[in-house]
Amino acid sequence: MNVNPFRIDVAQAELDVLRDRLTQTRWPAEPPGVGWSRGTPVAYAKELAEHWLTGFDWRAQERRLNELPQFTTVIDGQTIHFVHIRSDDPDARPLLLLHGWPGSFVEFLDVIEPLTKEFHLVIPSLPGFAFSSPLAAPGWTAARMAGAFVELMAVLGYERYGVHGGDTGAFVAPEMGHLAPGRVAGIHLNGVLSFPAGIEGEDEPLSETERRRAADLEEATAGYVPIQSRSPQTLAFGLTDSPAGQLAWIAEIFHRWAGAPIDRDRFLTNVSIYWLTGTAGSSAQIYYEQVNDPMAWVPKPRGTVPTGVLLAGSHEYAIRPYAERDHAIVHWSQKDEGGHFFAMEEPEAFAEDVRRFFTMRSVAVRF
């Protein structure tokens, strides 16, 4: 299997198109006084778009990203893009970092420096996201992604390794544990979702906080999930044609789920990658695949790989009794700060929790 060096090199013509489309944006009307209750406000989107147009420097961000050793390979017919950084520590352990939607490998930029002191890092773009595109075929479920990443780690020569997953990555990482429990030493998750199994009385031991999380999850996913899980291709027409549309679609999720301010240029780097790679539709396909994959809803045996869960201060929906039914939980960390995009919001706290989990005896002895 060929592993090829990769550099981001966006054609100037593409940046000119972005500038022209932002300049010519046809802004929607909105009812007065509704704020964020019906989605991204026009004034907020206009302010972000103006900075994207006049203050944001893609070339500077591109140079920063190209300082990272990036590669591509083809697994199961699909191009896979990844960052691979080897630690100077001869005893470092391999760690795979998996992002979610609407994030990208950019989520982990600020945790690379602290984590490479102890870990070799592999940070891929999920199939259909960023430079792991275009999708070569339908059917890229979380389980299929898991298989691709197990193969990627083998190709890179890592026999045993840890996996962190957030959001979509929090679905993929446990699938890797089911698929290759002898290779995956430990699984660290944030932004994890846990669901009832439909068993009578299973909600009885839930705390008031956990009951509220269950209700909040239904409300939090009521907008974007039905659209992306039913009509990702129709959605793609608007978001692929309008940078303002792509911006507003992602901005709503970051506003609702982030618990701390995120650097505006870092946020726009993430949005720019979606726009410049044209992956609004392909990144949304994972929702369609998961909802329509019968195997995704078949009960699985409880995972055997030691698992840690990090709950940020806000916008978290994990319910411990449900999570413990599905995973071998050995670490449950509650933070007062941050939110769903914890690695971007609180990189030092994120790195420390990852480090603490993978040095636990029950995890460390498996490497």
Side-chain angles (χ1 to χ4, degrees), residues 90-105:
D91 297 322
R93 290 162 291 184
L95 177 61
L96 180 71
L97 301 176
L98 301 175
H99 66 83
W101 183 90
S104 66
F105 72 101

Side-chain angles (χ1 to χ4, degrees), residues 33-313:
V34 297
W36 284 91
S37 65
R38 305 185 185 198
T40 304
V42 173
Y44 184 88
K46 282 185 174 181
E47 181 181 358
L48 272 178
E50 179 63 23
H51 182 69
W52 199 6
L53 180 64
T54 63
F56 176 75
D57 185 349
W58 166 257
R59 290 301 186 201
Q61 301 301 322
E62 186 178 69
R63 287 191 295 272
R64 165 69 179 89
L65 296 176
N66 281 332
E67 292 174 0
L68 303 173
Q70 299 174 69
F71 305 88
T72 60
T73 190
V74 177
I75 299 176
D76 193 9
Q78 176 64 45
T79 296
I80 302 293
H81 161 262
F82 61 98
V83 173
H84 185 199
I85 305 172
R86 293 190 63 85
S87 172
D88 292 332
D89 182 354
D91 297 322
R93 290 162 291 184
L95 177 61
L96 180 71
L97 301 176
L98 301 175
H99 66 83
W101 183 90
S104 66
F105 72 101
V106 168
E107 287 187 47
F108 299 113
L109 291 182
D110 290 335
V111 303
I112 289 174
E113 191 277 331
L115 287 180
T116 48
K117 294 175 182 176
E118 299 177 36
F119 298 96
H120 305 306
L121 298 181
V122 180
I123 312 173
S125 299
L126 300 185
F129 289 71
F131 304 103
S132 293
S133 62
L135 278 176
W140 278 93
T141 61
R144 188 172 178 182
M145 290 183 184
F149 292 135
V150 168
E151 186 167 349
L152 174 64
M153 295 301 278
V155 167
L156 296 178
Y158 295 129
E159 293 293 327
R160 299 185 65 75
Y161 46 86
V163 183
H164 163 79
D167 191 82
T168 306
F171 286 93
V172 178
E175 291 285 0
M176 293 181 69
H178 283 293
L179 185 62
R183 291 181 174 271
V184 179
I187 298 168
H188 183 271
L189 306 172
N190 79 290
V192 64
L193 303 181
S194 47
F195 304 97
I199 301 171
E200 184 176 355
E202 66 181 332
D203 61 342
E204 291 179 3
L206 300 189
S207 67
E208 194 60 39
T209 298
E210 289 167 336
R211 292 174 188 274
R212 186 173 65 252
R213 282 183 190 150
D216 289 347
L217 174 61
E218 185 173 350
E219 171 64 23
T221 59
Y224 74 97
V225 169
I227 297 173
Q228 298 200 151
S229 62
R230 294 172 185 167
S231 302
Q233 196 57 45
T234 305
L235 175 68
F237 284 94
L239 303 190
T240 305
D241 190 58
S242 167
Q246 179 70 92
L247 175 67
W249 188 247
I250 294 178
E252 178 178 358
I253 303 301
F254 269 77
H255 174 82
R256 292 188 185 280
W257 286 29
I262 293 172
D263 179 79
R264 187 165 54 171
D265 282 358
R266 181 61 51 81
F267 169 77
L268 287 173
T269 299
N270 183 66
V271 174
S272 295
I273 287 174
Y274 276 84
W275 169 260
L276 294 169
T277 58
T279 48
S282 60
S283 65
Q285 297 291 336
I286 182 61
Y287 289 85
Y288 181 92
E289 300 294 356
Q290 286 299 104
V291 167
N292 292 281
D293 175 20
M295 296 305 297
W297 304 102
V298 174
K300 295 182 179 67
R302 183 173 182 264
T304 59
V305 176
T307 300
V309 175
L310 186 159
L311 269 70

